[in-house]
Amino acid sequence: MKGEIVEKVVAYVTKEIVEDGDAVSVTIVEDGPDEVTAEVRAAKPDMGRVIGRRGRVAKAIRTIAQAAADEEGLQARVEFID
Amino acid sequence: MNEWVDVRGPSVEMAVSAGLEALDLASADDAEVEVLQEPTRGFLGMGGQDAVVRIRRKPAAPTNRNRSRRGGRGSGSSTAGHSSGRRSSTNKPDTAQPSRGRGGAPASQKQQSRPAQPKASQSRAEKPSRGGNAVTKRDDDDREEISPEDQAAEINRFLTGLLGAFGLDGEVTTRVEDDVIYADVTGEQTEALVGAKGTILQAVLELCRTIVQRKTMSGARIRLDIAGYTERRREALRIYTRRLAEKVLAEGGEVMLEPMNAADRKVVHDTVVDIDGVRSFSEGEEPHRSVIVAKEDD
């Protein structure tokens, strides 16, 4: 499946950060032949953690997601969905 | 209540103001601040770093507005000469060891949870968490103090899991030295986690910090190396410094390097020390502090 590593990595990292790991879901949407978007959902109270102060954590997750995408020759975006 | 919080930001000022906000403090006068790391643009554009400050509510501050004497120690230049100075390890949040506080105040009160009373706390009075008022930041009431060793184990677990999620072969080792956590990720494939100019490495480090700070107020400093990148970078800096020193030896005068963080400056100093005829010193205010390599006058 396209974006499998991205999904795995983003889900792993997000679950590590939140309190309620069970509420985390990551959905991969194919945007194009080499592009995927990882849609991240988490429990409401956890969203702040996932984003982090001034978006620091979100930025780190995006960087890691792209690193994962590189493994598959993809471009990855990450959307944090409230 | 008097736990230290480590806060990062693009500048010391911004990190401090974020820290004040996190601690619900009105002004820096209410806080003790220790700068752990100055922000830098990094050496040759590589691996620039944010400012990191360690901040806490000033201990045992009386409730009145004119903040009497500074709670005993560590809050400013007036105490600079004192033995338990600002950077001593007794400031570490997780060590309950007594500081030899002068004056009458028992050192233990700085560590103990005491009923919250100072000003900034009333707005959060509905949270009688045992952490006291300094810990009233919305999401961290239940965080405890965790030893650096346990933090290192946590980082080890996270990094190992991360390799697994990526499907990369590699090994994670962690150790604690002087309250600094060194995490080393090795293995050929782990190069994938370095990134151009170490950007991925920085992101991984950021996540390590986040995960530790999620569990404890007292996140220790973390040094992360992946696939030998940090060490290679350091070696590149040594080579660069040596070349520069030779040039200074040959041509005289002095050369100022670009601003660097303290760790990188130390690499330069340590390199120059081994070369006869040149010396090095730092100049300028953080975060623009730079090393100057100069010919030894004789």
Side-chain angles (χ1 to χ4, degrees), chain B residues 148-222:
Chain B
E149 284 74 17
D150 288 348
Q151 294 176 36
E154 186 70 10
I155 287 168
N156 195 314
R157 188 192 55 73
F158 169 68
L159 290 173
T160 304
L162 189 67
L163 288 181
F166 267 89
L168 298 171
D169 282 337
E171 208 175 303
V172 180
T173 53
T174 47
R175 67 192 162 91
V176 177
E177 219 178 283
D178 295 333
D179 277 350
V180 178
I181 297 166
Y182 292 85
D184 203 359
V185 180
T186 52
E188 225 172 281
Q189 297 183 0
T190 63
E191 192 84 42
L193 297 183
V194 175
K197 296 182 180 178
T199 44
I200 302 171
L201 187 152
Q202 291 298 326
V204 173
L205 178 58
E206 177 70 31
L207 293 172
C208 289
R209 288 206 180 91
T210 304
I211 281 151
V212 166
Q213 284 172 4
R214 195 197 102 169
K215 312 214 160 149
T216 177
M217 292 289 288
S218 52
R221 269 171 277 185
I222 303 167

Side-chain angles (χ1 to χ4, degrees), chain B residues 9-275:
Chain B
S11 71
V12 170
E13 293 71 28
M14 289 174 80
V16 169
S17 75
L20 293 174
E21 194 182 309
L23 293 176
D24 249 353
L25 296 176
S27 98
D29 292 339
D30 300 328
E32 283 184 34
V33 176
E34 180 186 344
V35 177
L36 298 185
Q37 178 180 288
E38 306 291 344
T40 62
R41 293 175 316 181
F43 164 64
L44 300 180
M46 291 186 283
Q49 292 185 352
D50 281 340
V52 181
V53 299
R54 178 163 286 184
I55 184 167
R56 70 168 177 179
R57 175 184 301 277
K58 221 172 245 192
T63 46
N64 60 23
R65 249 115 98 274
N66 40 359
R67 28 204 145 263
S68 62
R69 215 83 7 121
R70 21 202 86 197
R73 68 194 174 111
S75 53
S77 52
S78 68
T79 56
H82 191 248
S83 57
S84 61
R86 327 184 275 280
R87 286 175 182 273
S88 86
S89 60
T90 53
N91 276 352
K92 284 289 149 38
D94 45 358
T95 51
Q97 75 198 82
S99 66
R100 352 135 224 267
R102 48 181 177 185
S108 63
Q109 79 177 50
K110 287 163 184 127
Q111 318 289 349
Q112 284 316 305
S113 271
R114 284 144 37 95
Q117 79 298 70
K119 47 238 155 183
S121 66
Q122 327 105 325
S123 60
R124 308 250 182 199
E126 77 282 4
K127 286 203 174 180
S129 77
R130 70 189 187 291
N133 57 310
V135 201
T136 46
K137 202 170 56 134
R138 312 150 288 279
D139 52 350
D140 56 9
D141 294 335
D142 54 351
R143 296 194 291 182
E144 295 165 14
E145 302 203 342
I146 298 177
S147 72
E149 284 74 17
D150 288 348
Q151 294 176 36
E154 186 70 10
I155 287 168
N156 195 314
R157 188 192 55 73
F158 169 68
L159 290 173
T160 304
L162 189 67
L163 288 181
F166 267 89
L168 298 171
D169 282 337
E171 208 175 303
V172 180
T173 53
T174 47
R175 67 192 162 91
V176 177
E177 219 178 283
D178 295 333
D179 277 350
V180 178
I181 297 166
Y182 292 85
D184 203 359
V185 180
T186 52
E188 225 172 281
Q189 297 183 0
T190 63
E191 192 84 42
L193 297 183
V194 175
K197 296 182 180 178
T199 44
I200 302 171
L201 187 152
Q202 291 298 326
V204 173
L205 178 58
E206 177 70 31
L207 293 172
C208 289
R209 288 206 180 91
T210 304
I211 281 151
V212 166
Q213 284 172 4
R214 195 197 102 169
K215 312 214 160 149
T216 177
M217 292 289 288
S218 52
R221 269 171 277 185
I222 303 167
R223 300 263 185 278
L224 173 65
D225 197 359
I226 300 178
Y229 171 79
T230 309
E231 184 47 41
R232 282 200 303 280
R233 221 189 113 243
R234 208 167 287 149
E235 185 54 28
L237 180 52
R238 286 191 200 105
I239 291 168
Y240 173 76
T241 302
R242 270 183 224 119
R243 220 172 275 153
L244 205 67
E246 280 161 24
K247 193 166 170 242
V248 168
L249 264 181
E251 300 172 11
E254 50 183 54
V255 177
M256 180 186 264
L257 283 72
E258 61 180 280
M260 286 173 200
N261 64 34
D264 285 350
R265 291 199 305 268
K266 180 161 167 29
V267 172
V268 175
H269 292 311
D270 288 350
T271 306
V272 170
V273 154
D274 289 337
I275 304 173

